[in-house]
């Protein structure tokens, strides 16, 4: 784990975020992201994963009240160029009346200063890299003509279009089948290795996080429950909540949940 | 025919975009029995959602036939179709997108009761409370808009809407994939309960083979709009024969490799 | 949201003007009871001479201030009614076109094109000359010339909304297409359409003034446009008779525009938040 020795790319100290007058969505979080590492953020719905991801990218809504500090190594990054963000809801982050290729090209054009034809060519190339079939045709498609997983890949392509230093992926593969998911995971690894990209990977799939990440952070109710190298968090979890998450995972070797109980029912249908 | 709740024969649908045709469903045939869960698995873009939308008559097929509850489902039109829709419902993947952003939970549940004349106006609030309780939600949620409840609660509201019209088949298009494990477990339990008590059949669309194996009776694997493999869910996933089936299983992340302990 | 809305000085000024205008319109029958068209004093009294007639009288001896207040009433009624009518017609036609698609869309959009190629004022002028001047005809005439903008915007919005899952959800529940169009889709398409309302209100007030100026306004009501026209005959001797209602018009249109901009900006800020 070469990342371990490196200086933190960004350091959070005592970050607290509250929306309106509700209980804080994040309470006093201390967390470093090291340059070049792959950090996974897991936890149940509403635990504050997206809030934390948005805080790193300085994308929190104006209504959020924050306390604590976020310190970047060197100059503060520029959202969109230095930080790529894949939003949790890919359909919502795509413009429904603009061809998807243009949307990706737009990013490349603004941040890399490419001409339109070059930007479109880059969009095509990116579509290929994220595993979209038939990129030359798909760049002209509109979001509603794509399947859920295809939209998610377009969003990923847009996020990496400007070759960001830090890629934040909020549930970026949750709508993908396992084959493409594995490809995307491989792609993200390659990007991380080749371009030295750092990755913050938000997921509720603990198994996926375990496959991809160097370190795992477990959130619950806005608090950091556990943080450590993947092997340790999964293999020897210290926290009882982490243990329950691991136990609740339904894998290929899990016993049938309920189907067995009503296996006999269809006979009288 | 007639024997099964749903019988689909050689269903085909092509989409044309940018001058090229995509066969999203290619001569598909399958059936579902009452109180049975058939899972539809397959890579992204293999046509799973297309099948769902064809079954629900949200789009029309190019060819093929669908028999549902003994009817020629594709022959139904207009009012006749709207009336029969009560029997086949759907839960969408993204519950936020599946509800009118302005609607309250009460209105979401009131619509089917009103449209299908299931209950007169005066009784509807009680029926709505009853539906909410059935899916394990507090009736106090009725006055909130769908934005003001959590993702798991929203998916329960979607299920409540789907069962409001007493359907015999519910299509679940990735209905639990966006939920975290604890909520997902409870929703699956709720679905299994409904199947036991009301004999509802499910078409369970998911790309999560672990989930399919644990929840479904049978599985059909799609690839490029074609059915490549079909059979008992556990048998197929434990020993897939088709190339796609093998690839999907091989690519599924395995947690227990790291925990060092095997659950089975 | 109110706080945000009133953040810019322009929005504050616009709102202040509109509040003043509304107060004038509401107070007109209380402060100046009776027919504002009756003779109140000697003809052509200049302003600030007689405290009973602060703004003086016109050629026929009518109280200019009373006319101004009652004219505010007409401008406001016509502006709001015409805007409401054109927004309603536009939203309904746009929604039908966008939602139905195909031939219906084609036909409705051709109709919209046809209306849009004729200048709005000429259309209103022709309509009033044929049907005859009265308040409701003037409102209808203005609406006839202004519904195309809202229709286009509503259609564009509906085209993207109808692909959303909740429309599919409504169909699955068995909702009638018309109910889907008007209860599910239309309300979600409205915000950008409503953003047009300030421009349409301002436009309607101006068209009404122009029609009245040409003598095609409701003859039984005081209108600012009519006052300007009246004053024109004695422009050299009593310029204030045209200038006063003219200023009222300019200030009103400005107020509507500024308040509208403020509202749109406020809405944009709120949208950016969520
Ligand atoms: N814009 C907002 N306004 C008000 N409350 C919010 C907002 N965004 C999030 N919250 C609240 O903050 C808490 C944390 O939400 P967050 O979206 O970070 O959770 P999450 O871990 O990403 O959950 P999920 O897995 O469901 O995406 C939740 O209680 C949520 O209701
Ligand atoms: N309206 C449309 N116009 C053109 N092509 C479409 C349309 N809808 C779907 N397609 C294409 O049909 C194919 C099947 O799409 P579908 O949404 O059924 O896939 P899916 O199996 O549900 O995938 P996912 O798991 O990613 O949701 C895809 O290649 C998609 O691009
Ligand atoms: Mg989230
Ligand atoms: Mg799908």
């Amino acid at each position: 784990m070469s990342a371990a020795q490196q200086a933190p790319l960004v350091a959070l100290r005592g970050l607290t975020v509250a929306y309106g007058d509700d209980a804080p969505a994040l309470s006093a979080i201390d967390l470093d992201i090291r340059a070049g590492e792959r950090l996974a953020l897991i936890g149940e719905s509403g635990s504050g994963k997206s809030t934390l991801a948005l805080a790193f990218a300085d994308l929190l809504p104006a209504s959020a009240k924050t306390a604590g500090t976020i310190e970047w190594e060197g100059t503060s990054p520029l959202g969109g160029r230095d930080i790529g963000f894949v939003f949790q809801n890919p359909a919502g982050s795509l413009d429904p009346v603009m061809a998807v290729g243009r949307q990706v090209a737009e990013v490349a054009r603004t941040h890399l200063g490419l001409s339109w034809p070059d930007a479109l060519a880059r969009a095509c190339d990116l579509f290929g890299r994220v595993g979209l079939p038939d990129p030359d045709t798909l760049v002209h498609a509109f979001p509603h003509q794509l399947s859920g997983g295809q939209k998610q890949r377009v969003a990923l392509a847009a996020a990496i279009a400007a070759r960001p230093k830090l890629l934040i992926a909020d549930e970026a593969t949750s709508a993908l089948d396992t084959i493409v998911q594995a490809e995307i995971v491989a792609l993200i690894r390659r990007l991380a290795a080749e371009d030295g990209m750092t990755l913050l990977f938000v997921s509720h799939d603990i198994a996926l996080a375990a496959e991809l990440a160097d370190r795992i952070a477990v959130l619950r109710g806005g608090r950091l429950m556990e943080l450590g190298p993947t092997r340790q968090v999964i293999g020897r979890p210290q926290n009882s909540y982490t243990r329950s998450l691991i136990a609740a995972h339904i894998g290929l070797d899990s016993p049938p949940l309920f189907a067995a109980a009503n296996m006999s029912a269809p006979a009288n249908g | 025919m007639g024997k099964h709740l749903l019988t689909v024969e050689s269903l085909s649908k092509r989409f044309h975009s940018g001058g090229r045709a995509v066969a999203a469903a290619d001569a598909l045939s399958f059936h579902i029995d009452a109180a049975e869960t058939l899972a539809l698995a397959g890579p992204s873009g293999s046509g799973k959602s297309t099948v769902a939308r064809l079954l629900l008559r949200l789009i029309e097929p190019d060819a093929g036939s669908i028999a549902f509850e003994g009817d020629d489902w594709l022959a139904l039109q207009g009012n006749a179709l709207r009336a029969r829709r009560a029997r086949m419902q759907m839960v969408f993947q993204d519950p936020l997108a599946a509800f009118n952003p302005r609607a309250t939970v009460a209105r979401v549940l009131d619509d089917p009761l009103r449209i299908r004349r299931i209950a007169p106006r005066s009784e509807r609030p009680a029926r709505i409370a009853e539906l909410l309780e059935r899916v394990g939600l507090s009736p106090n949620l009725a006055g909130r808009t769908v934005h003001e409840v959590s993702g798991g609660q929203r998916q329960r509201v979607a299920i409540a809407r789907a069962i409001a019209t007493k359907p015999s088949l519910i299509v679940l298009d990735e209905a639990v994939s966006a939920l975290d494990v604890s909520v997902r477990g409870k929703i699956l339990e709720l679905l299994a309960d409904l199947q036991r008590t009301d004999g509802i059949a499910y078409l369970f669309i998911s790309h999560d083979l672990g989930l399919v194996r644990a929840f479904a009776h049978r599985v059909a694997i799609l690839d490029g709009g074609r059915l490549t493999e079909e059979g008992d869910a556990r048998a197929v996933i434990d020993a897939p024969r088709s190339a796609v089936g093998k690839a999907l299983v091989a690519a599924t992340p395995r947690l227990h490799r790291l925990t060092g302990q095997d659950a089975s | 949201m109110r706080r945000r809305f009133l953040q810019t000085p322009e929005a504050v000024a616009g709102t202040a003007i509109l509040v003043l205008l509304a107060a004038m319109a509401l107070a007109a029958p209380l402060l100046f009871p009776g027919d504002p068209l009756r003779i109140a004093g000697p003809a052509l009294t200049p302003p600030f001479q007689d405290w009973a007639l602060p703004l003086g009288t016109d050629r026929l001896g009518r109280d200019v201030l009373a006319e101004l207040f009652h004219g505010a009433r007409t401008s406001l009624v016509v502006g709001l009614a015409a805007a409401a009518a054109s927004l309603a017609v536009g939203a309904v036609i746009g929604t039908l076109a966008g939602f139905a698609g195909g031939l219906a869309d084609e036909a409705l959009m051709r109709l919209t094109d046809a209306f849009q190629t004729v200048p709005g004022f000429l259309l209103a002028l022709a309509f009033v000359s044929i049907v005859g001047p009265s308040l409701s005809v003037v409102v209808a005439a203005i609406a006839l010339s202004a519904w195309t903008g809202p229709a286009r915007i509503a259609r564009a919005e509906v085209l993207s909304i109808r692909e959303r899952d909740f429309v599919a959800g409504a169909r699955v529940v068995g909702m009638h297409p018309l109910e889907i169009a008007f209860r599910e889709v239309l309300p979600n398409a409205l915000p950008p359409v409503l953003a047009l309302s300030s421009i349409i209100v301002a436009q309607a007030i101006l068209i009404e003034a122009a029609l009245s100026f040409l003598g095609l306004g409701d003859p039984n009501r005081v209108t600012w446009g009519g006052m300007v026209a009246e004053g024109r005959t004695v422009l050299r001797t009593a310029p204030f008779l045209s200038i006063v209602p003219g200023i009222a018009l300019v200030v009103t249109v400005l107020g509507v525009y500024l308040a509208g901009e403020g509202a749109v900006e406020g809405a944009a800020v709120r949208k950016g938040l969520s």
Side-chain angles (χ1 to χ4, degrees), chain A residues 17-20 22-26 42-54 60-61 63-64 88 170-171 202-204 219 221-222, chain B residues 147-152 154 178-180, chain C residues 273-274:
Chain A
V17 178
Y19 293 102
D22 298 346
L26 289 178
I42 63 173
E44 66 192 8
S45 182
S47 57
K49 304 184 295 293
S50 297
T51 305
L52 189 51
L54 291 170
L60 284 172
S63 65
Q88 184 160 2
D170 192 353
E171 308 278 5
V202 178
S203 177
H204 61 251
L219 275 184
Chain B
H147 282 277
E148 294 167 340
V149 300
S150 78
R154 218 175 278 139
L179 302 174
D180 65 81
Chain C
L273 277 185
S274 55

Short mmCIF file of all heavy atoms in Angstrom, two decimals, chain A residues 17-20 22-26 42-54 60-61 63-64 88 170-171 202-204 219 221-222, chain B residues 147-152 154 178-180, chain C residues 273-274, ligand 1:
data_model
loop_
_atom_site.label_atom_id
_atom_site.label_comp_id
_atom_site.label_asym_id
_atom_site.label_seq_id
_atom_site.Cartn_x
_atom_site.Cartn_y
_atom_site.Cartn_z
N VAL A 17 -21.83 19.19 9.64
CA VAL A 17 -22.75 19.77 8.65
C VAL A 17 -24.16 19.57 9.12
O VAL A 17 -24.54 18.47 9.53
CB VAL A 17 -22.57 19.11 7.26
CG1 VAL A 17 -23.56 19.71 6.26
CG2 VAL A 17 -21.15 19.28 6.75
N ALA A 18 -24.95 20.63 9.10
CA ALA A 18 -26.37 20.51 9.46
C ALA A 18 -27.21 21.17 8.39
O ALA A 18 -26.86 22.23 7.87
CB ALA A 18 -26.62 21.15 10.81
N TYR A 19 -28.28 20.50 8.03
CA TYR A 19 -29.24 21.10 7.10
C TYR A 19 -30.34 21.74 7.93
O TYR A 19 -30.99 21.06 8.72
CB TYR A 19 -29.88 20.04 6.21
CG TYR A 19 -28.91 19.38 5.25
CD1 TYR A 19 -28.40 18.11 5.53
CD2 TYR A 19 -28.53 20.01 4.09
CE1 TYR A 19 -27.53 17.50 4.64
CE2 TYR A 19 -27.67 19.41 3.20
CZ TYR A 19 -27.18 18.15 3.49
OH TYR A 19 -26.32 17.54 2.62
N GLY A 20 -30.55 23.02 7.75
CA GLY A 20 -31.61 23.70 8.49
C GLY A 20 -31.43 23.50 9.98
O GLY A 20 -30.32 23.56 10.50
N ASP A 22 -32.32 20.72 11.59
CA ASP A 22 -32.34 19.30 11.94
C ASP A 22 -31.06 18.92 12.69
O ASP A 22 -30.10 19.68 12.74
CB ASP A 22 -32.43 18.44 10.67
CG ASP A 22 -33.71 18.73 9.93
OD1 ASP A 22 -34.60 19.36 10.52
OD2 ASP A 22 -33.81 18.34 8.75
N ALA A 23 -31.06 17.73 13.22
CA ALA A 23 -29.85 17.19 13.82
C ALA A 23 -28.78 17.16 12.74
O ALA A 23 -29.09 16.97 11.57
CB ALA A 23 -30.12 15.77 14.33
N PRO A 24 -27.52 17.36 13.12
CA PRO A 24 -26.47 17.43 12.09
C PRO A 24 -26.40 16.16 11.24
O PRO A 24 -26.55 15.05 11.77
CB PRO A 24 -25.19 17.66 12.89
CG PRO A 24 -25.53 17.45 14.31
CD PRO A 24 -27.00 17.61 14.46
N ALA A 25 -26.19 16.33 9.94
CA ALA A 25 -26.03 15.18 9.05
C ALA A 25 -24.64 14.59 9.20
O ALA A 25 -24.42 13.42 8.91
CB ALA A 25 -26.29 15.60 7.61
N LEU A 26 -23.69 15.41 9.65
CA LEU A 26 -22.33 14.93 9.93
C LEU A 26 -21.88 15.58 11.23
O LEU A 26 -22.10 16.77 11.43
CB LEU A 26 -21.36 15.36 8.83
CG LEU A 26 -21.46 14.68 7.47
CD1 LEU A 26 -20.45 15.30 6.52
CD2 LEU A 26 -21.23 13.19 7.57
N ILE A 42 -18.74 3.77 3.30
CA ILE A 42 -19.95 2.95 3.32
C ILE A 42 -20.79 3.30 4.53
O ILE A 42 -20.33 3.97 5.47
CB ILE A 42 -19.64 1.43 3.31
CG1 ILE A 42 -18.87 1.03 4.55
CG2 ILE A 42 -18.87 1.05 2.06
CD1 ILE A 42 -18.70 -0.48 4.67
N GLY A 43 -22.03 2.85 4.51
CA GLY A 43 -22.96 3.18 5.58
C GLY A 43 -24.37 3.14 5.06
O GLY A 43 -24.61 3.14 3.86
N GLU A 44 -25.33 3.12 6.01
CA GLU A 44 -26.71 2.96 5.58
C GLU A 44 -27.25 4.27 5.00
O GLU A 44 -26.61 5.31 5.09
CB GLU A 44 -27.57 2.51 6.77
CG GLU A 44 -27.66 3.57 7.86
CD GLU A 44 -28.26 3.01 9.14
OE1 GLU A 44 -28.45 1.80 9.23
OE2 GLU A 44 -28.50 3.81 10.05
N SER A 45 -28.45 4.17 4.44
CA SER A 45 -29.10 5.33 3.85
C SER A 45 -29.29 6.40 4.92
O SER A 45 -29.72 6.10 6.02
CB SER A 45 -30.44 4.89 3.28
OG SER A 45 -31.08 5.96 2.67
N GLY A 46 -28.95 7.64 4.57
CA GLY A 46 -29.13 8.74 5.51
C GLY A 46 -27.98 8.88 6.49
O GLY A 46 -28.01 9.74 7.38
N SER A 47 -26.93 8.07 6.34
CA SER A 47 -25.82 8.13 7.30
C SER A 47 -24.92 9.34 7.03
O SER A 47 -24.07 9.66 7.86
CB SER A 47 -25.00 6.85 7.25
OG SER A 47 -24.53 6.62 5.94
N GLY A 48 -25.09 9.98 5.89
CA GLY A 48 -24.31 11.18 5.62
C GLY A 48 -23.22 10.99 4.58
O GLY A 48 -22.37 11.86 4.40
N LYS A 49 -23.26 9.87 3.84
CA LYS A 49 -22.22 9.60 2.84
C LYS A 49 -22.21 10.68 1.76
O LYS A 49 -21.17 11.26 1.46
CB LYS A 49 -22.47 8.24 2.17
CG LYS A 49 -22.55 7.06 3.14
CD LYS A 49 -22.70 5.76 2.39
CE LYS A 49 -24.00 5.62 1.60
NZ LYS A 49 -25.20 5.53 2.44
N SER A 50 -23.39 10.95 1.20
CA SER A 50 -23.44 11.94 0.13
C SER A 50 -23.07 13.31 0.65
O SER A 50 -22.39 14.08 -0.03
CB SER A 50 -24.85 12.00 -0.48
OG SER A 50 -25.17 10.77 -1.06
N THR A 51 -23.50 13.62 1.87
CA THR A 51 -23.17 14.92 2.46
C THR A 51 -21.65 15.07 2.57
O THR A 51 -21.10 16.12 2.21
CB THR A 51 -23.82 15.04 3.84
OG1 THR A 51 -25.22 14.82 3.71
CG2 THR A 51 -23.59 16.41 4.44
N LEU A 52 -20.98 14.02 2.99
CA LEU A 52 -19.52 14.07 3.12
C LEU A 52 -18.87 14.23 1.76
O LEU A 52 -17.95 15.03 1.57
CB LEU A 52 -19.03 12.80 3.83
CG LEU A 52 -17.56 12.76 4.24
CD1 LEU A 52 -17.17 13.98 5.03
CD2 LEU A 52 -17.26 11.51 5.05
N ALA A 53 -19.38 13.48 0.79
CA ALA A 53 -18.83 13.56 -0.57
C ALA A 53 -19.00 14.98 -1.12
O ALA A 53 -18.09 15.56 -1.70
CB ALA A 53 -19.52 12.55 -1.48
N LEU A 54 -20.19 15.55 -0.90
CA LEU A 54 -20.45 16.90 -1.40
C LEU A 54 -19.55 17.92 -0.70
O LEU A 54 -19.10 18.89 -1.31
CB LEU A 54 -21.93 17.27 -1.18
CG LEU A 54 -22.94 16.50 -2.03
CD1 LEU A 54 -24.36 16.78 -1.55
CD2 LEU A 54 -22.82 16.88 -3.50
N LEU A 60 -21.97 21.50 -1.25
CA LEU A 60 -23.11 21.48 -0.33
C LEU A 60 -24.07 22.62 -0.66
O LEU A 60 -23.63 23.71 -1.03
CB LEU A 60 -22.62 21.62 1.12
CG LEU A 60 -21.99 20.36 1.73
CD1 LEU A 60 -21.38 20.69 3.07
CD2 LEU A 60 -23.04 19.27 1.88
N PRO A 61 -25.36 22.37 -0.53
CA PRO A 61 -26.32 23.45 -0.80
C PRO A 61 -26.12 24.60 0.19
O PRO A 61 -25.60 24.41 1.29
CB PRO A 61 -27.68 22.78 -0.60
CG PRO A 61 -27.41 21.57 0.22
CD PRO A 61 -26.03 21.13 -0.13
N SER A 63 -28.07 26.01 2.01
CA SER A 63 -28.81 25.89 3.26
C SER A 63 -28.05 25.10 4.32
O SER A 63 -28.43 25.09 5.48
CB SER A 63 -30.15 25.21 2.99
OG SER A 63 -29.93 23.89 2.56
N ALA A 64 -26.96 24.43 3.92
CA ALA A 64 -26.22 23.62 4.88
C ALA A 64 -25.28 24.48 5.71
O ALA A 64 -24.56 25.32 5.17
CB ALA A 64 -25.42 22.55 4.13
N GLN A 88 -25.22 10.71 -7.30
CA GLN A 88 -25.95 9.50 -6.94
C GLN A 88 -27.04 9.19 -7.96
O GLN A 88 -27.29 8.05 -8.29
CB GLN A 88 -26.55 9.67 -5.56
CG GLN A 88 -27.24 8.44 -5.04
CD GLN A 88 -27.41 8.48 -3.53
OE1 GLN A 88 -27.02 9.44 -2.89
NE2 GLN A 88 -27.96 7.44 -2.97
N ASP A 170 -20.37 8.89 -6.20
CA ASP A 170 -21.43 8.64 -5.22
C ASP A 170 -22.35 7.56 -5.80
O ASP A 170 -23.16 7.85 -6.67
CB ASP A 170 -22.19 9.93 -4.93
CG ASP A 170 -23.10 9.80 -3.73
OD1 ASP A 170 -23.23 8.68 -3.21
OD2 ASP A 170 -23.69 10.81 -3.31
N GLU A 171 -22.23 6.35 -5.34
CA GLU A 171 -23.03 5.23 -5.83
C GLU A 171 -22.93 5.13 -7.35
O GLU A 171 -23.93 4.91 -8.03
CB GLU A 171 -24.51 5.39 -5.45
CG GLU A 171 -24.74 5.64 -3.98
CD GLU A 171 -24.74 4.38 -3.14
OE1 GLU A 171 -24.45 3.31 -3.71
OE2 GLU A 171 -25.02 4.49 -1.94
N VAL A 202 -18.23 6.18 -2.90
CA VAL A 202 -19.34 6.05 -1.95
C VAL A 202 -20.22 4.89 -2.40
O VAL A 202 -20.58 4.80 -3.57
CB VAL A 202 -20.18 7.33 -1.91
CG1 VAL A 202 -21.36 7.17 -0.97
CG2 VAL A 202 -19.34 8.51 -1.51
N SER A 203 -20.53 4.00 -1.50
CA SER A 203 -21.33 2.85 -1.89
C SER A 203 -22.06 2.28 -0.70
O SER A 203 -21.64 2.44 0.44
CB SER A 203 -20.43 1.77 -2.48
OG SER A 203 -21.19 0.63 -2.80
N HIS A 204 -23.21 1.64 -0.97
CA HIS A 204 -23.80 0.90 0.14
C HIS A 204 -23.51 -0.59 -0.02
O HIS A 204 -23.94 -1.40 0.79
CB HIS A 204 -25.31 1.17 0.26
CG HIS A 204 -26.09 0.77 -0.95
ND1 HIS A 204 -26.63 1.69 -1.80
CD2 HIS A 204 -26.38 -0.43 -1.44
CE1 HIS A 204 -27.23 1.05 -2.78
NE2 HIS A 204 -27.11 -0.24 -2.59
N LEU A 219 -19.66 4.98 8.02
CA LEU A 219 -20.42 6.08 8.62
C LEU A 219 -21.74 5.55 9.16
O LEU A 219 -22.34 4.64 8.60
CB LEU A 219 -20.76 7.12 7.56
CG LEU A 219 -19.77 8.22 7.22
CD1 LEU A 219 -20.42 9.14 6.21
CD2 LEU A 219 -19.35 9.00 8.44
N GLY A 221 -25.20 7.52 11.15
CA GLY A 221 -25.80 8.67 11.84
C GLY A 221 -24.88 9.88 11.86
O GLY A 221 -24.86 10.62 12.83
N GLY A 222 -24.11 10.07 10.79
CA GLY A 222 -23.27 11.25 10.71
C GLY A 222 -21.96 11.13 11.47
O GLY A 222 -21.20 12.09 11.56
N HIS B 147 -40.91 13.97 -1.20
CA HIS B 147 -39.53 14.42 -0.96
C HIS B 147 -39.17 14.36 0.51
O HIS B 147 -38.00 14.38 0.86
CB HIS B 147 -39.35 15.87 -1.40
CG HIS B 147 -39.21 16.00 -2.87
ND1 HIS B 147 -38.00 15.82 -3.49
CD2 HIS B 147 -40.10 16.25 -3.83
CE1 HIS B 147 -38.18 15.97 -4.78
NE2 HIS B 147 -39.43 16.23 -5.01
N GLU B 148 -40.20 14.39 1.35
CA GLU B 148 -39.95 14.54 2.77
C GLU B 148 -39.87 13.22 3.53
O GLU B 148 -39.99 13.21 4.74
CB GLU B 148 -41.04 15.43 3.39
CG GLU B 148 -40.99 16.86 2.88
CD GLU B 148 -42.21 17.66 3.23
OE1 GLU B 148 -43.27 17.07 3.54
OE2 GLU B 148 -42.14 18.88 3.18
N VAL B 149 -39.77 12.11 2.79
CA VAL B 149 -39.59 10.83 3.47
C VAL B 149 -38.29 10.19 2.95
O VAL B 149 -37.81 10.55 1.89
CB VAL B 149 -40.79 9.88 3.24
CG1 VAL B 149 -42.06 10.50 3.77
CG2 VAL B 149 -40.93 9.53 1.78
N SER B 150 -37.75 9.26 3.73
CA SER B 150 -36.46 8.68 3.34
C SER B 150 -36.62 7.73 2.16
O SER B 150 -37.73 7.35 1.80
CB SER B 150 -35.87 7.92 4.52
OG SER B 150 -36.51 6.68 4.65
N GLY B 151 -35.50 7.36 1.57
CA GLY B 151 -35.53 6.49 0.40
C GLY B 151 -36.26 5.18 0.67
O GLY B 151 -37.05 4.71 -0.14
N GLY B 152 -35.99 4.59 1.82
CA GLY B 152 -36.64 3.32 2.15
C GLY B 152 -38.13 3.50 2.35
O GLY B 152 -38.94 2.68 1.89
N ARG B 154 -39.91 5.80 0.98
CA ARG B 154 -40.48 6.10 -0.32
C ARG B 154 -40.76 4.81 -1.10
O ARG B 154 -41.79 4.66 -1.74
CB ARG B 154 -39.48 6.96 -1.08
CG ARG B 154 -40.10 8.03 -1.90
CD ARG B 154 -39.01 8.88 -2.51
NE ARG B 154 -38.50 9.88 -1.61
CZ ARG B 154 -37.19 10.18 -1.52
NH1 ARG B 154 -36.30 9.56 -2.24
NH2 ARG B 154 -36.81 11.12 -0.70
N ALA B 178 -31.39 0.39 -5.02
CA ALA B 178 -30.86 1.66 -4.51
C ALA B 178 -30.92 1.73 -2.99
O ALA B 178 -30.54 2.73 -2.41
CB ALA B 178 -31.63 2.82 -5.12
N LEU B 179 -31.40 0.68 -2.35
CA LEU B 179 -31.59 0.74 -0.89
C LEU B 179 -30.40 0.09 -0.18
O LEU B 179 -29.77 -0.81 -0.70
CB LEU B 179 -32.87 0.00 -0.51
CG LEU B 179 -34.13 0.53 -1.18
CD1 LEU B 179 -35.32 -0.35 -0.85
CD2 LEU B 179 -34.39 1.96 -0.75
N ASP B 180 -30.15 0.56 1.04
CA ASP B 180 -29.04 -0.06 1.76
C ASP B 180 -29.49 -1.38 2.37
O ASP B 180 -30.68 -1.69 2.45
CB ASP B 180 -28.45 0.88 2.81
CG ASP B 180 -29.43 1.19 3.89
OD1 ASP B 180 -29.58 0.36 4.81
OD2 ASP B 180 -30.07 2.25 3.81
N LEU C 273 -30.88 25.90 -4.80
CA LEU C 273 -30.66 25.35 -3.47
C LEU C 273 -31.02 23.89 -3.38
O LEU C 273 -30.37 23.12 -2.70
CB LEU C 273 -31.55 26.11 -2.47
CG LEU C 273 -30.96 27.42 -1.98
CD1 LEU C 273 -31.85 28.01 -0.93
CD2 LEU C 273 -29.57 27.16 -1.42
N SER C 274 -32.09 23.51 -4.04
CA SER C 274 -32.61 22.16 -3.81
C SER C 274 -31.88 21.14 -4.66
O SER C 274 -31.23 21.48 -5.61
CB SER C 274 -34.10 22.10 -4.12
OG SER C 274 -34.32 22.55 -5.43
N1 LIG D 1 -30.61 19.06 0.95
C1 LIG D 1 -30.96 18.56 2.15
N2 LIG D 1 -31.80 19.23 2.96
C2 LIG D 1 -32.14 18.74 4.18
N3 LIG D 1 -31.71 17.57 4.66
C3 LIG D 1 -30.86 16.83 3.91
C4 LIG D 1 -30.46 17.28 2.60
N4 LIG D 1 -29.62 16.36 2.06
C5 LIG D 1 -29.53 15.37 2.99
N5 LIG D 1 -30.26 15.65 4.09
C6 LIG D 1 -30.36 14.83 5.32
O1 LIG D 1 -29.06 14.61 5.82
C7 LIG D 1 -28.89 13.26 6.25
C8 LIG D 1 -27.71 12.62 5.51
O2 LIG D 1 -28.06 12.51 4.12
P1 LIG D 1 -27.10 11.95 2.98
O3 LIG D 1 -27.75 12.22 1.68
O4 LIG D 1 -25.74 12.46 3.18
O5 LIG D 1 -27.13 10.37 3.30
P2 LIG D 1 -26.53 9.16 2.47
O6 LIG D 1 -25.64 8.43 3.41
O7 LIG D 1 -25.92 9.62 1.21
O8 LIG D 1 -27.82 8.29 2.21
P3 LIG D 1 -28.25 7.42 0.89
O9 LIG D 1 -27.51 6.12 0.96
O10 LIG D 1 -29.72 7.23 1.07
O11 LIG D 1 -27.88 8.23 -0.31
C9 LIG D 1 -30.23 12.58 6.02
O12 LIG D 1 -30.93 12.55 7.23
C10 LIG D 1 -30.93 13.45 5.03
O13 LIG D 1 -32.33 13.41 5.23
#
